[in-house]
Amino acid sequence: MAQPKANSHKLIWIQVMAANDKKAHSLCTSEDLSSFGYFQRGQVRQHLVFASRTSAERCQKGSRVTISLKEVPYVLHVYRRVDGLTGVAITDQAYSERVAQTLVTKLTSGFEQKYGNSWKKVQKDEVMHYPPISDLLKEYANPNQADKMLAVQQNLDQIKEIMHKNIEDILERGETLDNLLQKSDDIGEVSKMFHSKAKKNNQCCQLY
């Protein structure tokens, strides 16, 4: 009997953030970092939080953006709604951006149905209880299967223009990713030191 084809796509992170003004705050997160070594996961998690927050703060309201990370084969799919509620999915480069954008749309819509506008009052990172986020991470782990399901269930034309940028493209004038990373509270001192050394030695093991 033929074995089912292994899923070669990776969905490693989904997150809901409140990005009302210039600051973005985490509301809930689900992750699958099993493809990383056990001792790497803490540093990887810090960098994913940093990338998600930086992207949510700098993408325009009402936009959908696919952002390529530097030197690693991962992509951020960001949907920042007009009201500031933002969904982020981080995948490998092979993952369908249409499926990813459908995922973050469903994620933010479901979150809003549970919490209404109460998230707008958030002034710092919170852990708001939303169990469906873990179900969505599992449901969308295989984009091919999810895409077939979506084609039956809904009209995909609602996913309109998706902008494509590199991580540097969303930075404001005068900003550099290295400076932002060194100032960020999301990145621990050990990770900052590791990043600086890797950058100095021109190694490709860092996320940026």
Side-chain angles (χ1 to χ4, degrees), residues 71-115:
E71 298 175 359
V72 291
Y74 287 95
V75 176
L76 284 89
H77 306 272
V78 182
Y79 173 38
R80 187 180 184 188
R81 302 186 344 175
V82 174
D83 61 4
L85 190 63
T86 303
V88 180
I90 302 180
T91 71
D92 64 5
Q93 294 174 340
Y95 197 98
S96 166
E97 69 176 13
R98 181 178 68 167
V99 174
Q101 284 292 341
T102 303
L103 164 59
V104 292
T105 301
K106 190 172 182 179
L107 176 62
T108 52
S109 177
F111 185 87
E112 181 185 37
Q113 287 177 18
K114 177 168 183 179
Y115 286 105

